[in-house]
Amino acid sequence: GELVLHPFLQPEVVIAPLLGRAVLFRSDFLLHSVRPAMAARFCFTIWLDSTTTNRDEECNLTAKALKVDADNVEFLMHSPLQRAISRAVYAEEYEDSLLACMSGTPGCTEMLEGHQQHVAQQLSHTQLRPFLQHLRELKSTDVVYIQQPALES
């Protein structure tokens, strides 16, 4: 049941589940999934929300955000705006996660079809498609594994 984090355009991070380990991250900025557990484990999740998080002006994708330059890509790496495009940039990872967690359960087919339709719709947009393709090319293929807890100094 490893936690898999996909920091936007950065190396994937795989975190082993260890007794006493706590992992905190902003799920609105970070595409993530949990691999199926091979042994009994417990997970505790808390969602925090507020009216000042992910306001429309922060999350609505506009033509201005589709610039293919290093500054804009850097901005997207630290912006909630990435949520609007991350499913298309990480389409295969998203699909793999759905299948790993939902395969054989009611609703899996519908969720998978919904994801594929969402990605197809974004890729059919004439301005958005080249931008998404550019981001997919920038996506890191590296993986960082975090197994043991950090040593105390």
Side-chain angles (χ1 to χ4, degrees):
E2 296 94 345
L3 174 63
V4 182
L5 307 175
H6 301 277
F8 199 69
L9 306 179
Q10 299 175 51
E12 177 180 284
V13 179
V14 179
I15 303 172
L18 295 177
L19 181 65
R21 172 172 278 167
V23 179
L24 306 173
F25 61 94
R26 291 206 39 193
S27 62
D28 59 332
F29 275 46
L30 194 55
L31 188 62
H32 59 281
S33 61
V34 178
R35 292 180 176 164
M38 301 303 158
R41 72 175 182 95
F42 297 96
C43 178
F44 180 70
T45 303
I46 298 175
W47 291 80
L48 304 175
D49 202 3
S50 88
T51 56
T52 61
T53 301
N54 297 325
R55 297 183 311 265
D56 285 348
E57 60 269 17
E58 295 175 319
C59 297
N60 288 339
L61 192 62
T62 62
K64 177 183 162 187
L66 303 181
K67 293 184 292 186
V68 179
D69 64 50
D71 288 341
N72 191 47
V73 169
E74 180 69 24
F75 167 76
L76 282 173
M77 290 171 70
H78 306 285
S79 165
L81 196 54
Q82 66 182 259
R83 289 180 68 183
I85 55 177
S86 65
R87 280 176 58 181
V89 174
Y90 289 90
E92 296 81 9
E93 293 85 348
Y94 195 93
E95 189 169 315
D96 289 347
S97 176
L98 279 175
L99 290 170
C101 293
M102 302 294 295
S103 188
T105 64
C108 178
T109 301
E110 293 80 6
M111 289 179 73
L112 195 55
E113 288 172 356
H115 165 65
Q116 292 166 343
Q117 289 170 0
H118 176 85
V119 171
Q121 183 180 18
Q122 285 192 324
L123 291 175
S124 71
H125 190 280
T126 55
Q127 287 180 292
L128 187 53
R129 181 180 52 252
F131 185 64
L132 292 172
Q133 290 169 336
H134 174 71
L135 293 176
R136 286 175 59 81
E137 291 169 6
L138 294 176
K139 188 172 62 170
S140 176
T141 57
D142 295 337
V143 179
V144 175
Y145 293 93
I146 300 175
Q147 300 291 335
Q148 300 300 319
L151 298 175
E152 294 182 23
S153 50

